[in-house]
Amino acid sequence: MAAEDPAFEGTGRTPGRGWAVLLLFRAHSSSVVLISYTFGLFLPFIRADLDISPVQAGLLQGVWWVTAALVSLPAGAWFSRLRPVPLVLASMATMLPFLALQALSGGFLALFAARFLFVLCHVVTTPARTLLLQQWAVPRQFAQINSVGLSQHSVILATAVSASPLLITLVGSWRTAYWLMAGVFLAQSLAWALIARERKALAPDLGSRLREQAGSPLRAIAAYPQGWLIAAMMFFLSATWTAMVTFLPSLWLEERGLALTLGGPLLGFLYYGLIPSALFGGLLANKVGNRKLLLGVPALLNMVFGLAIVTSSHPLLLMLLITGLGMVWVATPAINILPFEFPGIQPREVAVISSLVTTFSGLGFAAGPVVTGIVAEQAGSMQTGLTVLCVITGLGAVVSLLYPARAASRANLP
């Protein structure tokens, strides 16, 4: 079982280079997400430039996450046999031209295709998230590293979301903003090539042992049904998030009269509370023994905060509510290591379960803006679209009741 694998041995601390590799990978993933989340802030400018409809806007955001949903599981099964470090470098290199094509798009179809190909090149790294942990970190620090990564992610996204309206106003073009993002991606690629040296990893031979693992890792999706419950809960959590970041700026601007220069900083409060609190998120893995609570409480709060945000208009109240919605995600570092608890699970099988969760998260991220856009267009109100979406996501709390109250095994986490 995984606990007996050399990659899972050791009671020391993760070395500095391991932290650097894992946090750089998380920063790169944050940058990819940033391209999606800032789309909502750029949307008024893109709509004016390319003359796209609300449904087309939902599709442009949705294709991002539909692609992740459709490709994550096969990528987790197939690419989990490969060494994660060169896999990530190849992904970074192939993403750059498609980011440039987004900046050059002259219409809906061109932008749609560029966004699809960009995220497709990123999704192949889905298994790298768990494999890099097993290669560069000691098991008892998995949740801690995830927590620091979430805090770092929050800093990056809070800064970018808050500054994006000012940036686009300063440069005068959403296209120029995309070129600046391309420069960030290039810098990350160069840093990865310099820092991620496999011979200095805790488990430098991980690649060969992955190839030697017998059987298909896809068996995990049938052998561990609790993985489906984690995935379903993350579907609803994710749907709320992208619906909010996609349509709240337009809702505030068009129906509430709140300028984008105020809407951007308001959305930043999704991350401000997470910056300090995420550092303690990993403690939940040990402190919350009842796994139903670990999944159910965030799902319930996600719906409650979402509905409150949609029906509120006072900036100070919105700051508090949006902060609360963001802090719901404090539990995700603990949720992300739940697959390591499954009895007898193998390293590649952990990657497959993680890919299953990513698949459902992608479906949720896609469904959020698409469902909201469709309802908004039919009802003639973005508020109605967001309200319906938030009510639907309350099903996440119901799904969590089916999860085992206690972990079946903690053997895989020393």
Side-chain angles (χ1 to χ4, degrees):
M1 67 167 48
E4 297 169 351
D5 194 290
F8 286 82
E9 294 178 355
T11 58
R13 292 184 176 276
T14 301
R17 184 179 287 268
W19 277 93
V21 168
L22 293 166
L23 292 180
L24 177 57
F25 177 71
R26 185 57 190 265
H28 172 66
S29 299
S30 299
S31 299
V32 175
V33 171
L34 178 64
I35 304 297
S36 174
Y37 288 175
T38 54
F39 177 76
L41 293 170
F42 295 167
L43 183 56
F45 300 92
I46 296 174
R47 288 177 65 184
D49 189 6
L50 303 182
D51 191 28
I52 60 175
S53 69
V55 171
Q56 287 177 324
L59 290 172
L60 285 169
Q61 187 72 294
V63 69
W64 199 274
W65 304 106
V66 167
T67 303
L70 294 177
V71 180
S72 289
L73 192 55
W78 178 258
F79 291 103
S80 62
R81 72 183 66 193
L82 303 180
R83 290 151 44 217
V85 169
L87 177 64
V88 172
L89 183 59
S91 171
M92 289 179 171
T94 54
M95 290 170 71
L96 273 170
F98 298 118
L99 180 55
L101 285 176
Q102 291 181 65
L104 295 171
S105 298
F108 167 73
L109 289 178
L111 183 57
F112 185 90
R115 288 172 70 81
F116 164 70
L117 293 170
F118 176 82
V119 74
L120 180 64
C121 292
H122 172 68
V123 175
V124 300
T125 66
T126 297
R129 184 170 70 173
T130 59
L131 296 179
L132 287 170
L133 274 173
Q134 296 172 66
Q135 186 177 37
W136 291 90
V138 296
R140 68 184 184 87
Q141 290 190 299
F142 284 0
Q144 181 184 359
I145 291 169
N146 282 341
S147 296
V148 174
L150 179 59
S151 180
Q152 173 189 269
H153 173 81
S154 302
V155 171
I156 293 172
L157 270 293
T159 302
V161 169
S162 299
S164 290
L166 299 176
L167 172 64
I168 196 171
T169 300
L170 178 65
V171 300
S173 169
W174 64 272
R175 300 178 188 276
T176 303
Y178 270 64
W179 283 114
L180 293 175
M181 293 178 189
V184 173
F185 273 76
L186 178 60
Q188 290 174 347
S189 301
L190 295 175
W192 185 263
L194 292 173
I195 296 173
R197 304 294 181 89
E198 286 183 299
R199 66 179 183 275
K200 297 186 178 182
L202 289 179
D205 61 338
L206 178 65
S208 61
R209 288 187 289 106
L210 291 175
R211 291 190 296 272
E212 294 168 0
Q213 184 176 309
S216 171
L218 286 173
R219 66 170 287 276
I221 64 177
Y224 303 104
Q226 59 269 49
W228 289 88
L229 300 177
I230 299 172
M233 195 281 289
M234 289 303 299
F235 170 90
F236 293 112
L237 218 62
S238 303
T240 302
W241 193 277
T242 43
M244 293 293 180
V245 299
T246 301
F247 288 106
L248 275 180
S250 295
L251 170 68
W252 291 334
L253 179 64
E254 297 174 10
E255 299 185 20
R256 306 288 169 78
L258 293 179
L260 285 176
T261 51
L262 177 59
L266 278 176
L267 274 184
F269 280 86
L270 283 168
Y271 307 99
Y272 297 149
L274 271 177
I275 293 172
S277 62
L279 296 173
F280 304 98
L283 296 176
L284 295 176
N286 294 321
K287 299 298 183 181
V288 181
N290 188 331
R291 290 343 199 182
K292 292 181 187 291
L293 295 177
L294 190 60
L295 297 174
V297 172
L300 180 62
L301 291 176
N302 179 70
M303 179 189 68
V304 171
F305 281 120
L307 288 172
I309 289 168
V310 172
T311 56
S312 301
S313 58
H314 194 284
L316 290 178
L317 179 58
L318 283 171
M319 289 178 189
L320 295 176
L321 293 173
I322 293 172
T323 299
L325 183 65
M327 291 183 67
V328 165
W329 287 69
V330 167
T332 56
I335 293 171
N336 287 337
I337 68 165
L338 290 181
F340 288 98
E341 296 179 349
F342 299 170
I345 196 165
Q346 299 286 333
R348 288 185 66 193
E349 292 174 339
V350 175
V352 165
I353 294 296
S354 178
S355 298
L356 179 68
V357 174
T358 301
T359 294
F360 273 70
S361 292
L363 287 172
F365 282 129
V370 172
V371 171
T372 301
I374 292 173
V375 176
E377 189 161 292
Q378 293 297 316
S381 168
M382 287 187 182
Q383 179 174 337
T384 301
L386 287 168
T387 299
V388 170
L389 188 280
C390 290
V391 171
I392 293 173
T393 60
L395 292 173
V398 178
V399 168
S400 67
L401 297 176
L402 302 176
Y403 197 85
R406 299 287 170 178
S409 172
R410 299 299 305 279
N412 297 332
L413 287 174

